[in-house]
Amino acid sequence: MSAQNTFHPTVYLGTGGYSDTDMLGTLYPLGTKKTDFLSEYAKHYGAVEINSSFYAPLGQKAYEGMLRKSEAKIKFAIKLHQDFSHTLKATPEHAEAFIEAIQPLIEADCLAPLLIQFPHGFDRTHEHRLYLAKLADWFHDYPLAVEFRHASWHIAQVEHSFQKFGLIWCSVDYPQVKGLPNSRLLFTQSTVQHNTAKRIGYLRMHGNNLNWWDAMSASERHDYRYTPQEMQNWAQAIANQRQHFDELYVFFQNSTNAHAYYNIAMLREALQALQFQVL
């Protein structure tokens, strides 16, 4: 690993999805058609987290369209369908179909990590641990980031297992309310243990809306704009662990009221001042 990689890792910034009309007038010029959102998005950010794949499986044509509109200039993180994470009805055949669908992204070298986000009810039981092991095996050839919302997973033993199997711990900035894990930044990939050329980190920014549990929608839940000082603090936290990663993907979920647009600009400036390459 070169000294340049060690001291100047790359940070990809983006949002959870690209279709929020709240971004009109900021990221998207007023009058931009929704069919042109991704083309405009790709002019500004280096990666995007696709969440629509959670609700309905997407086919190859959908991903080919994304590549075409983005001119293959950005990386796509793809959220696994809810059958993998919530209903737990997924099978090896489902995994094969998913991998087949994303082949256009793989061939274009535009695939960021896959993301699986387990719900609060997915606690660390023996049955769930066995299921996670199966799922990790289905996707063992691809970078897989795992987000746990149940605190029982947030222990050193799980962290060590992730390091052993080359899984990416999905770090999350949650609101500091009862029932959610503490926010933290954790890197679990190593080149030695996973024979990978790049150690990848993943961070999701949910904001600090204390109305999380009472919110009527995801949009309302993410109605929070970070302050410049909060973004500075996160930039410093990232810098403090720069020796542990080569690439970090940071996705802001707070596109409501265009909060993400302003927060990405804040974090970009703070990271660039700390000598990071920011895309």
Side-chain angles (χ1 to χ4, degrees), residues 119-190:
H120 300 91
F122 189 82
D123 53 354
R124 190 173 169 267
T125 63
H126 178 69
E127 181 182 8
H128 287 162
R129 285 157 56 197
L130 289 177
Y131 175 78
L132 179 61
K134 285 195 304 181
L135 189 138
D137 185 57
W138 296 343
F139 295 102
H140 71 274
D141 287 333
Y142 305 92
L144 179 64
V146 185
E147 177 183 345
F148 297 113
R149 296 208 173 161
H150 195 280
S152 59
W153 295 93
H154 291 244
I155 58 174
Q157 186 176 343
V158 175
E159 178 184 336
H160 295 151
S161 293
F162 269 49
Q163 292 170 346
K164 179 179 178 181
F165 294 105
L167 293 170
I168 302 167
W169 179 271
C170 180
S171 302
V172 183
D173 186 30
Y174 297 107
Q176 295 306 291
V177 296
K178 186 176 181 180
L180 288 176
N182 291 327
S183 302
R184 64 170 178 161
L185 183 61
L186 179 64
F187 298 97
T188 54
Q189 280 203 326
S190 95

Side-chain angles (χ1 to χ4, degrees), residues 13-16 47-49 77 202-205 249-253:
L13 301 179
T15 57
V48 65
E49 181 185 87
Y202 203 105
L203 172 62
R204 304 183 84 209
M205 306 296 288
Y249 291 86
V250 184
F251 294 113
F252 285 79
Q253 310 300 317

Side-chain angles (χ1 to χ4, degrees), residues 15-20 34 38 48-59 61-63 65-66 76-85 98 101-102 105 115 117 202 204 218 253:
T15 57
Y18 58 82
S19 59
D20 197 332
K34 288 196 75 170
L38 183 54
V48 65
E49 181 185 87
I50 301 299
N51 299 135
S52 56
S53 49
F54 172 82
Y55 300 100
L58 303 180
K61 287 186 177 180
Y63 293 114
M66 293 179 195
F76 292 86
I78 311 297
K79 192 172 185 180
L80 294 185
H81 186 266
Q82 57 190 325
D83 280 350
F84 289 100
S85 57
F98 178 90
I102 63 173
L105 300 181
L115 170 68
Q117 180 250 303
Y202 203 105
R204 304 183 84 209
Q253 310 300 317

